[in-house]
């Protein structure tokens, strides 16, 4: 299953990497900052067809368009292009993310960055990999940590909360980056390149795949109140190398 998912996500990534005429095929969704391009839709259609051919008994839950009713035990959760704003602006930090979930638990995950040609993958209980090589979180403590964050451009009601967390983590000693593609941000922590990633509200397609990759790389992820993630609904995420998860208790 994982091998097949890796082939499919590579095909998707090739569509993303070779895309042309992006700006003239971009539209706003919920607000001016929430964008969709013809490539988001085309990649999802390709991935949907291939994944359901692989496992017809699964539901399909992708970011674009209508969602299945979610009545089956198996479910694919897909972001065809995570980092759409980066994609539209040619910033070359986007990915395609696919998670295969069974009864609410992510069992398989792939995240592919076609620009860096990095394919992150994991199967529950079998470790995490980047281009076939095992990856592991860093052992850095809070004072030597780099934080990745989201923003609140899709819902500004989270702005004060988000910036207060940022400020608190900065005061604890962490520098920060805002890259703009949540699934890849999980993978950077999984690969030991950064120590923390948080965002006040993400959709399941933004975190399902990355959360398994991070856990399989030895990291830890919860919501900001410390409760487990829920792949059936939007939620907050606090994802760390494990050692830095203690910072959660110090956020006011
Ligand atoms: C977005 C990116 C971004 C995060 C947003 C997501 P999209 O996904 O992952 O980094 O801050 O919350 O919605 O819209 O580019 O697929
Ligand atoms: Ca997306």
């Amino acid at each position: 299953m994982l091998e097949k998912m890796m082939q499919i996500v590579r095909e998707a990534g090739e569509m993303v990497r070779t895309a042309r005429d992006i700006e003239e095929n971009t539209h706003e969704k919920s607000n001016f900052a929430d964008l969709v391009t013809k490539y988001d839709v085309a990649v999802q259609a390709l991935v949907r067809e291939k994944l359901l051919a692989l496992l017809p008994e699964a539901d399909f839950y992708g970011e674009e368009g209508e969602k299945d009713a979610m009545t089956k035990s198996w479910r694919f959760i897909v972001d065809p292009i995570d980092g759409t704003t980066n994609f539209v602006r040619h910033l070359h930090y986007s990915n395609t993310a696919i998670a295969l979930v069974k009864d609410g638990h992510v069992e398989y995950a792939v995240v592919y960055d076609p620009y860096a040609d990095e394919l992150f993958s994991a199967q529950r209980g079998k470790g995490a990999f980047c281009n076939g090589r095992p990856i592991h979180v860093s052992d850095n403590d809070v004072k030597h940590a780099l934080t990745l964050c989201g923003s609140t451009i899709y819902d500004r009601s989270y702005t004060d909360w988000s910036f207060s967390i940022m400020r608190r983590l900065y005061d604890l000693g962490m520098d920060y980056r805002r890259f703009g593609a949540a699934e890849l941000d999980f993978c950077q922590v999984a690969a030991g390149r950064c120590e923390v990633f948080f965002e006040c509200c993400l959709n399941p397609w933004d975190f399902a795949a990355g959360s398994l990759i991070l856990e399989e790389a030895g990291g830890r992820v919860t919501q900001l109140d410390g409760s487990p993630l829920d792949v059936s609904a939007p939620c907050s995420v606090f994802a760390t190398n494990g050692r830095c998860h203690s910072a959660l208790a110090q956020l006011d």
Side-chain angles (χ1 to χ4, degrees):
M1 176 57 71
L2 194 61
E3 282 297 322
K4 298 260 172 53
M5 287 170 63
M6 285 163 73
Q7 282 168 19
I8 293 168
V9 84
R10 270 193 188 281
E11 265 185 70
E14 198 50 23
M15 275 180 81
V16 173
R17 197 183 59 77
T18 58
R20 300 287 175 269
D21 60 17
I22 301 168
E23 293 84 348
E24 46 277 49
N25 289 290
T26 299
H27 305 280
E28 293 174 10
K29 288 200 289 185
S30 61
N31 71 28
F32 74 96
D34 187 6
L35 304 176
V36 59
T37 73
K38 75 169 183 186
Y39 292 98
D40 297 73
V41 176
V43 169
Q44 177 158 315
L46 170 97
V47 165
R48 181 188 169 106
E49 189 190 326
K50 295 199 176 246
L51 290 175
L52 291 182
L54 194 61
L55 194 65
E57 61 266 40
D59 278 323
F60 184 92
Y61 191 72
E63 177 172 7
E64 310 306 336
E66 283 185 23
K67 323 275 184 252
D68 282 350
M70 302 301 145
T71 51
K72 299 172 182 161
S73 170
W74 289 96
R75 174 184 310 176
F76 286 109
I77 301 183
V78 170
D79 195 340
I81 303 181
D82 174 41
T84 298
T85 301
N86 287 347
F87 176 66
V88 171
R89 289 173 176 258
H90 304 278
L91 279 167
H92 291 186
Y93 189 84
S94 307
N95 66 94
T96 299
I98 305 173
L100 179 54
V101 172
K102 181 156 199 297
D103 300 327
H105 299 285
V106 185
E107 296 295 333
Y108 300 86
V110 291
V111 171
Y112 182 49
D113 172 355
Y115 303 108
D117 189 24
E118 287 192 321
L119 203 172
F120 297 90
S121 61
Q123 179 180 350
R124 184 169 293 282
K126 300 274 174 69
F129 299 83
C130 177
N131 292 346
R133 287 186 297 278
I135 54 173
H136 205 274
V137 293
S138 79
D139 191 39
N140 287 343
D141 63 9
V142 167
K143 282 232 160 85
H144 301 87
L146 257 189
T147 289
L148 304 179
C149 59
S151 74
T152 59
I153 197 78
Y154 293 170
D155 185 345
R156 286 182 179 268
S157 64
Y158 293 107
T159 302
D160 288 346
W161 189 27
S162 183
F163 278 86
S164 75
I165 293 169
M166 199 72 228
R167 175 63 199 256
R168 186 75 186 117
L169 293 177
Y170 189 69
D171 287 346
L172 288 173
M174 301 188 195
D175 200 358
Y176 58 88
R177 305 283 186 274
R178 160 49 168 170
F179 288 155
E183 292 279 17
L184 268 184
D185 292 344
F186 278 95
C187 295
Q188 308 302 2
V189 179
R193 299 165 183 167
C194 303
E195 283 66 38
V196 176
F197 164 59
F198 83 91
E199 189 153 346
C200 294
C201 185
L202 282 177
N203 284 298
W205 51 78
D206 298 316
F207 67 76
S211 63
L212 179 67
I213 292 167
L214 175 62
E215 286 180 336
E216 287 297 320
R220 187 167 169 211
V221 57
T222 63
Q223 298 191 42
L224 280 160
D225 64 3
S227 63
L229 296 193
D230 174 2
V231 290
S232 66
C235 66
S236 64
V237 301
F238 191 71
T240 72
N241 65 346
R243 191 166 179 193
C244 291
H245 222 84
S246 58
L248 192 55
Q250 297 174 68
L251 304 178
D252 325 303

